[in-house]
Amino acid sequence: VSSVVACDRQPPHHAGQKRFKHGFPELRPIFPQRAVLCEETGSSKSSKTRCLVYLGANPGKRPEYSEAAAQLGSLLAERGYLLVYGGGGKGLMGILADAAMESGGEVHGVMPEDLVKREWAHIGITRLDVVHSLSERKDRMLSLADFVIAVPGGLGTFEEMLEAMSRGQLGYHEKILGFLNTCGYYDNFMVMFRASVDEGFVREDFLERVVIGRTPEELLDKMAAAAEAAKARKTAKA
């Protein structure tokens, strides 16, 4: 079993840090087993609400996608949320993380070691956990999150968000799931999702946990309201 490794560091500028031959800052072991994360280090364990964001490692063709990712990163930091994401420094992933860091936020990335070796990792974030596989990355990120957002992205974003939704319907978590619908990117997906409910393949009550917003501010406000409503329903049932 390999160690969990992490880099704890300050926002984007990191001159003078020790690097490996691939250009990465030195990674130091934190725990002997991969299953435990952030539970024993004061600098890594945060009491902040943690928002997991799935999004593209490419910027997409429209400038609005980059603008929305930057706005979301800044807004998460301003509202005191800790950003959890896939640890990348390219495309919308890098834009999101940079905006959060530059706004004074905390950013926790999770990336498989083979992608780190390809120099895809963001080395200027608060913490980077290096894991063995994409499956472990997905498990780790979702376990860290209090709620989940999908920003426009490609196949990886679709797969990650659909798995989070599937796990939610199966009862493995009760997180609110949000879609940032920049330029109507998720309109067609929502039509398909609504059809799956109408045709009896997805439970009607699961709709209460899925939120869509066209701007970061609208989406975060709706997700906060949905979380409060879910808490009230749970209290009423108790």
Side-chain angles (χ1 to χ4, degrees), residues 6-27:
C7 339
D8 292 311
R9 57 188 77 272
Q10 299 300 313
H13 303 290
H14 29 72
Q17 291 172 342
K18 184 177 179 181
R19 298 175 183 276
F20 288 137
K21 63 180 180 180
H22 294 295
F24 298 112
E26 183 174 14
L27 301 176

Side-chain angles (χ1 to χ4, degrees), residues 5-237:
V5 293
C7 339
D8 292 311
R9 57 188 77 272
Q10 299 300 313
H13 303 290
H14 29 72
Q17 291 172 342
K18 184 177 179 181
R19 298 175 183 276
F20 288 137
K21 63 180 180 180
H22 294 295
F24 298 112
E26 183 174 14
L27 301 176
R28 60 182 179 82
I30 300 294
F31 303 112
Q33 293 186 352
R34 290 173 290 162
V36 180
L37 186 63
C38 303
E39 294 298 334
E40 302 175 31
T41 58
S43 63
S44 298
K45 177 64 177 178
S46 175
S47 60
K48 292 183 177 182
T49 299
R50 293 165 292 182
C51 174
L52 169 58
V53 179
Y54 301 131
L55 72 173
N58 292 307
K61 291 185 176 181
R62 298 174 185 260
E64 290 90 344
Y65 298 141
S66 295
E67 292 166 6
Q71 290 168 4
L72 178 61
S74 296
L75 192 59
L76 289 172
E78 291 165 7
R79 295 195 178 187
Y81 296 132
L82 185 152
L83 168 63
V84 178
Y85 84 122
K90 298 181 180 182
L92 297 187
M93 296 178 76
I95 291 169
L96 174 79
D98 284 342
M101 293 295 291
E102 289 166 6
S103 297
E106 294 181 56
V107 179
H108 189 153
V110 183
M111 180 170 277
E113 56 192 342
D114 66 315
L115 296 186
V116 173
K117 291 175 182 177
R118 294 187 212 178
E119 301 191 1
W120 287 11
H122 195 312
I123 62 173
I125 57 179
T126 312
R127 178 181 172 93
L128 175 66
D129 294 323
V130 182
V131 296
H132 280 305
S133 66
L134 286 171
S135 294
E136 187 176 355
R137 178 203 217 180
K138 289 188 294 182
D139 290 344
R140 181 72 53 76
M141 290 193 299
L142 193 58
S143 71
L144 285 169
D146 294 303
F147 61 100
V148 183
I149 290 175
V151 172
L155 297 177
T157 303
F158 300 155
E159 184 223 3
E160 288 168 334
M161 192 59 164
L162 284 168
E163 182 168 334
M165 295 173 75
S166 178
R167 291 189 187 194
Q169 182 174 238
L170 291 171
Y172 288 106
H173 69 78
E174 298 180 346
K175 308 176 199 297
I176 301 300
L177 304 157
F179 288 84
L180 182 56
N181 196 28
T182 307
C183 297
Y185 185 77
Y186 284 112
D187 283 350
N188 290 332
F189 175 83
M190 287 299 161
V191 171
M192 182 181 70
F193 176 54
R194 180 69 244 191
S196 70
V197 175
D198 292 342
E199 296 297 327
F201 293 106
V202 176
R203 296 196 315 270
E204 182 82 26
D205 61 357
F206 190 69
L207 286 171
E208 298 168 346
R209 292 167 53 189
V210 179
V211 178
I212 189 165
R214 291 194 173 271
T215 67
E217 185 171 15
E218 177 189 357
L219 179 61
L220 291 182
D221 288 345
K222 284 184 173 181
M223 294 184 77
E228 286 299 316
K231 184 177 178 181
R233 288 192 299 271
K234 191 171 183 178
T235 301
K237 291 179 180 179

